[in-house]
Amino acid sequence: MSDSTVRIGLVLPDVMGTYGDGGNALILRQRLRMRGYDAEIVEITLNDPVPESLDAYTLGGAEDSAQRLATRHLTKYPGLQKAAERGAPVLAICAAIQVLGNWYETSSGERVDGVSMLDVTTSPQATRSIGEVITKPHLDGLTLPLTGFENHRGGTTLGPDARGLARVNHGVGNGVGDGQEGVVQGSVIGTYMHGPALARNPELADLILKRALGVDELPTLDLPEVEQLRRERLRV
């Protein structure tokens, strides 16, 4: 960590905040505070360069025009890329996967270069994927099913340097017929799960926090309401 306060970067909420994914940063901050850590959210807008010194980063979903703005900004200010290179955890939701990928196609068929943090490409699919998704995670440190709400038309193909976050048990996932949901590459975790994802998947939230803190374990939080939410969502 950079100092005694854990700093969570909320990246471009002004353009990548369509689906309430900024809630993921709130979850990280709250779970840290409940364990006695000082924590703050650093909002990084189109008016700000992206600092490379933060402890964790989250990005949310957006439409085509907003994706272009985000891609341009992250290319001009590559702090996120530099942070990931040193191992800072990055959570990318939905359209953020596409922005961080090699390229994505817009709904009109135009191909736009991404920032190439993820070895993925994304093209529009014939049918939009909307609904609950439940998956079995591949990632070490995750043992429980992942649950979220997907709402996307993108079909994301994983390249050789990327791997899926999880295998789909219910829902669509990446949308290219390989049964995968999300992507993992280096310290970057990408998923199409809204919800926000970390509110619905506390184990994933704590994995990100452990990486941010550089620790192997965190004290358990007893939150019955979160477990109730998970039970309800996993009954789909």
Side-chain angles (χ1 to χ4, degrees):
M1 288 189 306
S2 50
D3 55 39
S4 59
T5 299
V6 185
R7 295 183 296 164
I8 302 155
L10 179 55
V11 182
L12 302 180
D14 46 343
V15 289
M16 303 285 284
T18 306
Y19 300 101
D21 298 308
N24 289 315
L26 294 172
I27 294 298
L28 292 175
R29 184 180 68 182
Q30 182 64 14
R31 292 183 74 83
L32 283 165
R33 288 179 173 178
M34 293 178 76
R35 293 176 166 112
Y37 290 93
D38 291 328
E40 67 179 21
I41 295 172
V42 179
E43 290 198 6
I44 304 153
T45 73
L46 287 175
N47 296 320
D48 308 310
V50 182
E52 60 182 276
S53 59
L54 306 184
D55 301 300
Y57 298 78
T58 69
L59 303 89
E63 298 85 15
D64 285 351
S65 58
Q67 285 180 247
R68 288 173 178 276
L69 292 171
T71 303
R72 194 176 304 137
H73 193 78
L74 294 176
T75 301
K76 183 178 180 180
Y77 301 107
L80 184 69
Q81 295 90 309
K82 293 177 181 178
E85 286 171 4
R86 66 169 169 81
V90 177
L91 178 67
I93 305 294
C94 198
I97 295 174
Q98 302 169 25
V99 169
L100 300 189
N102 293 324
W103 55 259
Y104 58 91
E105 282 185 29
T106 67
S107 56
S108 62
E110 181 182 356
R111 186 173 292 189
V112 180
D113 288 338
V115 298
S116 294
M117 290 176 67
L118 294 171
D119 186 16
V120 304
T121 58
T122 303
S123 299
Q125 302 301 291
T127 304
R128 192 170 187 85
S129 302
I130 302 176
E132 290 292 316
V133 60
I134 299 171
T135 66
K136 179 180 180 181
H138 301 310
L139 191 58
D140 288 344
L142 297 180
T143 60
L144 301 174
L146 296 169
T147 167
F149 187 85
E150 58 184 350
N151 181 5
H152 64 97
R153 198 180 153 206
T156 295
T157 300
L158 307 179
D161 292 334
R163 59 192 176 101
L165 170 63
R167 176 158 291 279
V168 177
N169 292 332
H170 176 90
V172 176
N174 290 348
V176 291
D178 62 358
Q180 299 296 309
E181 200 289 317
V183 55
V184 177
Q185 186 171 335
S187 66
V188 183
I189 297 173
T191 176
Y192 277 104
M193 295 185 300
H194 300 290
L198 298 187
R200 296 175 59 158
N201 299 286
E203 189 179 47
L204 178 58
D206 284 351
L207 177 66
I208 291 169
L209 291 178
K210 284 186 279 190
R211 291 180 174 184
L213 294 165
V215 300
D216 293 327
E217 298 294 335
L218 285 170
T220 301
L221 296 177
D222 184 19
L223 299 171
E225 63 275 20
V226 175
E227 293 309 313
Q228 180 181 349
L229 170 64
R230 283 186 54 78
R231 285 193 298 271
E232 291 173 356
R233 295 296 86 198
L234 289 168
R235 281 202 297 265
V236 172

